Every structure is written in structure tokens, then in C-alpha cells.
Amino acid sequence: MILPPATIGIIGGGQLGQMMALVAKSMGYKVGVLDPTPEAPAAQVADFQIIADYTDVKSLTQLARASAVLTYEFENVDQQALQQVTAIAAVPQGIDLLTITGNRLNEKRFCVAHGLPVTPFSEIHTIGDLERARQEIGCPGILKTVTGGYDGHGQVDINETTDLEAIAPQLSQTTWIYERRQTFDRELSIMVTQDGRGQTVTFPVSENQHRHHILKTSIVADQLSQPVVDQAQKIAGEVAQALALRGVLGIEFFERPDGQLMINELAPRPHNSGHYSIEACNVSQFEAHIRSICGLPIPPIQQTQKAVMVNLLGDDLVIARQKLVQHPEWHFHDYGKQTIRTGRKMGHITVTGSDLDPLLVSTQDFR
């Protein structure tokens, strides 16, 4: 176990790192952050920041020497750089977790190897690969870069009329994965972790709504059937055990028309759709993450109220600031990012209560 006032080093200074740091500080830990952006969101609430690129081994070594444990807030961490500091500070989440979840092909193959449900897929390097995949797997489909993509970046929709020759020049630049597009009723997610005693802990299942491939709204309000919830918890437990999981991991699902769940993506860190847990659960996903990587026990997760979380994208933040005085029911989170960009996650609002309808009305301007 790693107890306060030990230092936790966070690789990445975004909003997830910020919320990790806030919890860690409240528990008495010291926090250091590695991020190339001065005054990054996590650095604003940390004890110190090392301003450097994530691939800078010298700076990563500096963070490791100042920390008892290292964690990361995103999956595109330089694995070779991180491997070089594992002898200096504990890295409970490990390198293998990044190897699997940081590459879409590895992630899909991991799921197949453990009998977990995923859409048919194929590795793509050439136009011939893509033509065969479209014929064998079917259309419509989605072509994705195996690394680096997020919020719809690095994705191309493929259908029967798509001009494959126009895509050909992009194929030689990196490795791609082609996935059959699935028909689904809802997009869901669940957060899962294992504590210091090896006990698997799951959070309530969230229903998620996206806009332009970016998560906009998460609803956790007992609106899902028990079989669907049971299925999500079962899959989450199997994933956690297969990974010997430490730290929180988010699992995104498609709920198909027959009620069966299919894994869309694994995220090896707290997840945007789990933000509701800060106000709506006895333990937030961020506290669970800190407890897990430090080897502490985690109590069973209890949701105390229904919740709706909405992301504030771009100029939504400015509008929400102006409306804050009219909404005492809002739990308002401003990440402190210095530049507002269209589609960028700038903050979020969570509302909680016993009835869903008032929560939806309260957040309707941003959904």
C-alpha cells in the first residue's frame, strides 16, 4: 500500500488528471504532473509540474524519482519511455494495459482471445486489404487508425459508394483497422476497477449520447433493464480479471436491438461518462482510481441519486458561466483550459435528483 503523504505522479495534465489530483490532494497525497503545456488543468491543482513532452525520458525519470507511484490519464503514453522508469517508481497499471488499449487491433484481439463480444474487424495496410475487408466483413463499416484517434478523429465512414481510391494515399501513412458498423439502440458504458485486495468494483451503467462523435450527455437513472446491467457488469468483471486490472478502466458498449452488448472500446483510465460519480455516488471514479493504484480497499459503489452529466464543448463554457446564477442545482466544473476551441471539452455540468425529467430540463440548453 502507498499511503499519504506519498507523491503520486500523473502523466498528462488534462481534466482527468485534474480530477485525479483533486481527490488525491483531499486524501493527503502530494501530486506531481508531467505535461508540455504550462499551467495545464491538472498542474493548476498539483504540487508541482514538470513541463516536458511525454516522450522525454529525462523528465519522466525526474517525475518518477519524485513519486512513489505513477499513473496516466490517457492511453497514448510512450510505452518505451514509461518502461525505463518502472524500476524507479511503481506503475500499478503496468505497460501491458497500454499495449492493449493504446492500439485498436491489440484491443480487439484481446477481446476475441477472452471471448468478449466485439464487431468483426480486419487489419488494413493497402487498398487491396480494404477492398477484401469490405467484401468479407460487410458494409457499411468504419476505417480507423489503430493509434492516436479520439472523438471521431482518425476515422472514415466506408459504404458501398465510398471512393476507395481516394482513401488510398492515407493508407500508406499508418496502420488501420476496418470494423463492421453495427446497428444499435443505445451506447452505454461502465467503469470498473480492482482494489488493493483484488476485489472487482463496478460503477452504475451510463447511457451515453454523442454529437459529432464526441460524448455530449451521460444519463444514469435506472432507465436500463436488469439483464442489460447484469451483462455489462459480467463483461466488466471478465475484462478486469483478464487484465489483472489496477486503476479505473472505462468500457464503452453498443446495445444491439436484441439486448446483447458489444464492446466498442476500452479506456485504461477514468472516463468522461463516469464524471457523474463525483456527485451521484458514495465514491467517485477518481477516488476509486487513486485507491486502486495505491493498493487501498474500495467500498461497494452505491449511487445515491439519479444523474445527468453534460459536456461543455467549446463556447458552451462561456454560455454556462453566464447562466450559472440561474441554476443553483448545477454542479459546475470548469477545467481551466486557457484556449476555447470548437468541440473541445472545456468543462461539464452534473445535476442530480430523484426524478429524471427535471434533470433533463435543467441541462436542455447543452444537450
Side-chain angles (χ1 to χ4, degrees), residues 36 85 91 96 99 118 153 167 173 227 231 244 262 269 274 302 358 363:
V85 300
V91 185
D96 288 347
T99 302
V118 291
H153 298 288
I167 300 171
Q173 298 173 14
Q231 194 180 162
M262 178 171 288
R269 32 91 183 154
Q302 299 174 359
T363 56

Side-chain angles (χ1 to χ4, degrees), residues 100 105-114 116 239 242-243 266:
I100 293 168
L105 277 167
N106 292 346
E107 185 173 282
K108 288 290 191 296
R109 288 166 178 161
F110 163 83
C111 290
V112 170
H114 290 88
L116 301 167
V239 170
L243 291 170
L266 305 178

Side-chain angles (χ1 to χ4, degrees), residues 221 306 308 351 353-364 367:
K306 296 178 181 178
V308 173
V351 287
S354 57
D355 297 317
L356 178 58
D357 288 344
L359 309 185
L360 295 173
V361 171
S362 174
T363 56
Q364 62 185 354
R367 288 188 291 104

Side-chain angles (χ1 to χ4, degrees), residues 299-337:
I301 303 301
Q302 299 174 359
Q303 184 178 354
T304 56
Q305 291 183 302
K306 296 178 181 178
V308 173
M309 187 282 301
V310 292
N311 272 324
L312 299 174
L313 306 178
D315 288 334
D316 285 350
L317 178 67
V318 177
I319 298 170
R321 285 171 176 167
Q322 295 168 349
K323 293 191 173 190
L324 185 57
V325 68
Q326 304 167 21
H327 291 277
E329 76 281 8
W330 283 358
H331 296 280
F332 180 73
H333 297 257
D334 183 335
Y335 302 148
K337 296 181 178 180

Side-chain angles (χ1 to χ4, degrees), residues 21-87:
L22 286 168
V23 166
K25 291 291 294 178
S26 74
M27 296 175 68
Y29 291 98
K30 303 295 184 183
V31 176
V33 172
L34 174 68
D35 194 278
T37 303
E39 288 298 304
Q44 294 170 24
V45 298
D47 293 279
F48 66 91
Q49 178 185 8
I50 298 171
I51 301 173
D53 192 80
Y54 307 121
T55 60
D56 187 333
V57 176
K58 181 179 178 180
S59 296
L60 190 57
T61 301
Q62 181 183 350
L63 179 66
R65 286 176 175 160
S67 305
V69 59
L70 294 179
T71 186
Y72 36 79
E73 66 144 17
F74 58 94
E75 46 268 55
N76 295 316
V77 175
D78 188 291
Q79 297 165 35
Q80 293 183 344
L82 187 59
Q83 183 68 59
Q84 293 186 53
V85 300
T86 54

